[in-house]
Amino acid sequence: MKKNIYIGTMSGTSVDGLDIAVVSIEDNYEFKLIYFNEFDYKNDFKERIIKAITANANTKEICQLNFEIAEFYSEKINIVLKKLKLKPEDITAIGSHGQTIYHLPYPEKGEVKSTLQIGDGSIIAQLTKIDTVSDFRTADIAAGGEGAPLVPFGEHLMFRSKKTNTKRIWQNIGGISNSTLLEDKFEDIISFDNGPGNLIINYLTKKFFNKEFDDKGKIASKGKIVDSVLKDLLKDEYFTEDLPKTTGREIYGEEFSENLINKYKNIDNVDLLRTVTYLTAKTIADSYKRYLINNKDNYEAIVSGGGSYNDLLMDDLRNEFKDNNKVEIKTAEEIGFNSSAKEAIIFALFAKRTMNKEHSIIQKGNKVILGKVSFH
């Protein structure tokens, strides 16, 4: 007998690996996290995925990755089930985001607005013997949306503030940073991508110092912000575009970072890393002032994702509001929540909603059910 237990999986733009959350979800969407773990991709596998994302893979390689990623997800899900002594029939459904290979929300002339996530749900359903909901972004784009950010409804269910005098902003800093202002009514929330989160920081850290990420910002903290570089980077038109807007690795990935390195090759490596770390904080703070906050309300910004563990980045973000006592910056852990688990939990929630034929997004006034169901 199924116990209203769902599994959510997430692999983001950083391509670090797979997050798996096992969640008990009641009919009113109250939830309890039963288990969470992160499973790293091996370096060669990660490199092949990034190659596909950066448009350097052929269709044969993408075809194979579609199966390989699904097989990797299935293997890890089965490991988790065994660890928890759960059987497939104990799980109602899996919600699998998949791995974004390309996201094209703003096509140029002759292009088609589109998105592609691989890691096929049918394969996961067959290998785990659990019904699987996947490919969530497509329906949003078909309904006229941008396909991202996709998680605001989940954030609304999970985290909207219960304080009558405080508005809550949920801030994710993954590969891309994104904000959601969690109003009481889902129809009123504002959600968008701020810009690069950890993408540029991680790329420079790997390129210059052969580390996957700048642990707690320790490397960058030894450098100084180069004002001329920062000023130049802030000219990027994305930062002042009107809402709604979304971006991704296609814009701020390897090509962007390599161009940055070449353009500022005379800048000390540590100083360049320090500058792009501050860029992430600065663009988040500027977006709050431009799109989200006013002078009359109090705000509580809760930061999740890998960037929340970068102490320097968090200090930079807090310092942007040191003269504004109406904006308080906290980490998810400070409110008793596992920052890393958030998006995987949300896809478990989405799985429940889709299996119940309930919407997970409202687009142009239409309630949109997200995802495709693969039965086992």
Side-chain angles (χ1 to χ4, degrees):
M1 180 177 178
K2 294 182 178 178
K3 303 175 181 177
N4 225 19
I5 299 174
Y6 293 78
I7 292 176
T9 73
M10 179 65 193
S11 178
T13 50
S14 295
V15 199
D16 296 324
L18 177 68
D19 297 340
I20 297 179
V22 182
V23 192
S24 173
I25 308 173
E26 302 301 324
D27 288 341
N28 63 357
Y29 288 96
E30 292 289 327
F31 71 94
K32 179 181 178 182
L33 179 62
I34 297 171
Y35 175 87
F36 174 75
N37 204 353
E38 300 167 271
F39 297 90
D40 294 339
Y41 290 143
K42 292 182 179 179
N43 284 337
D44 59 338
F45 191 38
K46 177 177 179 177
E47 287 170 5
R48 289 173 56 219
I49 295 171
I50 292 175
K51 179 183 176 184
I53 291 172
T54 53
N56 291 318
N58 57 41
T59 51
K60 179 180 178 181
E61 290 168 322
I62 294 172
C63 181
Q64 291 181 108
L65 279 172
N66 185 37
F67 275 67
E68 289 180 76
I69 288 171
E71 289 166 0
F72 179 88
Y73 287 15
S74 302
E75 175 191 348
K76 302 309 178 187
I77 289 168
N78 287 332
I79 288 171
V80 169
L81 292 175
K82 185 175 181 180
K83 179 180 179 65
L84 298 179
K85 298 181 180 178
L86 291 171
K87 298 176 181 178
E89 54 266 30
D90 295 326
I91 310 299
T92 304
I94 295 166
S96 178
H97 172 271
Q99 181 64 60
T100 299
I101 292 298
Y102 210 85
H103 189 60
L104 188 62
Y106 308 117
E108 296 180 359
K109 187 176 180 179
E111 297 178 336
V112 176
K113 188 176 184 179
S114 52
T115 189
L116 178 63
Q117 286 71 45
I118 61 175
D120 193 87
S122 294
I123 300 167
I124 298 171
Q126 291 302 314
L127 295 182
T128 62
K129 302 304 177 187
I130 301 169
D131 295 343
T132 299
V133 187
S134 61
D135 201 10
F136 291 90
R137 297 188 185 274
T138 306
D140 182 46
I141 286 187
E146 314 300 318
L150 203 61
V151 296
F153 191 85
E155 292 170 334
H156 171 75
L157 288 173
M158 296 163 67
F159 301 119
R160 63 187 183 273
S161 178
K162 294 179 173 60
K163 301 176 185 176
T164 56
N165 63 339
T166 302
K167 292 188 175 185
R168 177 172 280 178
I169 299 167
W170 194 273
Q171 179 65 52
N172 181 63
I173 309 179
I176 295 295
S177 59
N178 52 73
S179 299
T180 303
L181 178 62
L182 300 170
E183 300 282 15
D184 289 337
K185 294 182 180 178
F186 177 66
E187 293 86 344
D188 297 332
I189 71 174
I190 300 171
S191 187
F192 60 95
D193 289 338
N194 317 93
N198 300 315
L199 273 178
I200 305 173
I201 297 170
N202 290 353
Y203 189 90
L204 266 58
T205 302
K206 179 70 172 178
K207 184 86 172 183
F208 293 152
F209 308 105
N210 199 31
K211 295 181 181 296
E212 294 299 321
F213 60 94
D214 185 9
D215 185 25
K216 298 183 178 179
K218 291 176 183 176
I219 301 173
S221 66
K222 297 174 183 176
K224 63 179 183 296
I225 298 167
V226 183
D227 290 335
S228 60
V229 175
L230 178 67
K231 185 177 180 180
D232 197 21
L233 291 171
L234 287 172
K235 292 177 182 176
D236 190 322
E237 293 180 357
Y238 181 79
F239 301 136
T240 55
E241 284 181 4
D242 293 336
L243 301 183
K245 61 178 183 175
T246 181
T247 189
R249 183 181 282 272
E250 301 79 19
I251 306 299
Y252 296 112
E254 180 178 349
E255 183 178 356
F256 183 96
S257 298
E258 280 294 332
N259 289 340
L260 181 70
I261 291 168
N262 292 330
K263 185 173 183 179
Y264 301 112
K265 57 187 174 185
N266 294 328
I267 301 296
D268 181 83
N269 292 347
V270 177
D271 291 344
L272 191 57
L273 181 62
R274 177 68 186 98
T275 303
V276 299
T277 299
Y278 179 63
L279 174 73
T280 291
K282 172 71 172 168
T283 52
I284 291 170
D286 285 353
S287 73
Y288 287 10
K289 297 166 188 175
R290 180 179 294 274
Y291 305 112
L292 296 182
I293 66 176
N294 57 47
N295 293 324
K296 65 177 183 178
D297 294 312
N298 295 315
Y299 296 86
E300 182 183 57
I302 310 299
V303 185
S304 66
S308 69
Y309 301 114
N310 184 322
D311 294 344
L312 178 64
L313 175 55
M314 291 299 298
D315 286 345
D316 283 344
L317 187 55
R318 289 189 177 102
N319 285 335
E320 287 295 300
F321 295 101
K322 64 182 179 182
D323 298 322
N324 186 340
N325 60 9
K326 288 184 172 293
V327 179
E328 185 177 10
I329 308 293
K330 297 179 179 178
T331 65
E333 278 72 16
E334 288 178 279
I335 64 166
F337 186 78
N338 183 333
S339 167
S340 300
K342 185 200 77 171
E343 293 197 343
I345 292 173
I346 286 175
F347 283 100
L349 290 168
F350 281 1
K352 180 177 176 68
R353 293 192 68 82
T354 301
M355 295 299 287
N356 289 344
K357 296 184 179 179
E358 296 176 306
H359 71 282
S360 297
I361 206 162
I362 298 175
Q363 197 56 257
K364 302 186 186 306
N366 297 318
K367 295 179 178 180
V368 182
I369 299 172
L370 301 181
K372 300 169 184 173
V373 182
S374 301
F375 296 103
H376 73 278

